[in-house]
Amino acid sequence: EYLYRVRNALHLLSTKKNDKIELQLLPDLVNIMKYTHKSSQSAELALSTTIIKHQNIIYSLTQIFINRFLNK
């Protein structure tokens, strides 16, 4: 769900289908996703870290399913 929210926010910012997080969009993405920190740089870092964590979960689950499928 989280990555879909990020994706939808990217579409709003880009006014087109966009699935890439570009550095120049990151400050606006922080505002749309409502990340608040003492400095804008730490908010951008926190958002980026959260996105990467969610991507790693998906990657790990995908690897588990692929390995189980191939081992049968």
Side-chain angles (χ1 to χ4, degrees), residues 1-21 25-26 28-34 47 51:
E1 176 204 354
Y2 183 80
L3 292 177
Y4 280 116
R5 288 186 5 220
V6 171
R7 183 175 179 255
N8 287 337
L10 285 171
H11 289 190
L12 287 172
L13 287 172
S14 301
T15 64
K16 63 180 180 176
K17 292 182 180 180
N18 181 17
D19 296 332
K20 294 181 184 177
I21 300 173
L25 293 177
L26 202 52
D28 293 328
L29 189 59
V30 165
N31 291 331
I32 288 178
M33 297 297 292
K34 298 185 176 157
L47 176 63
I51 291 169

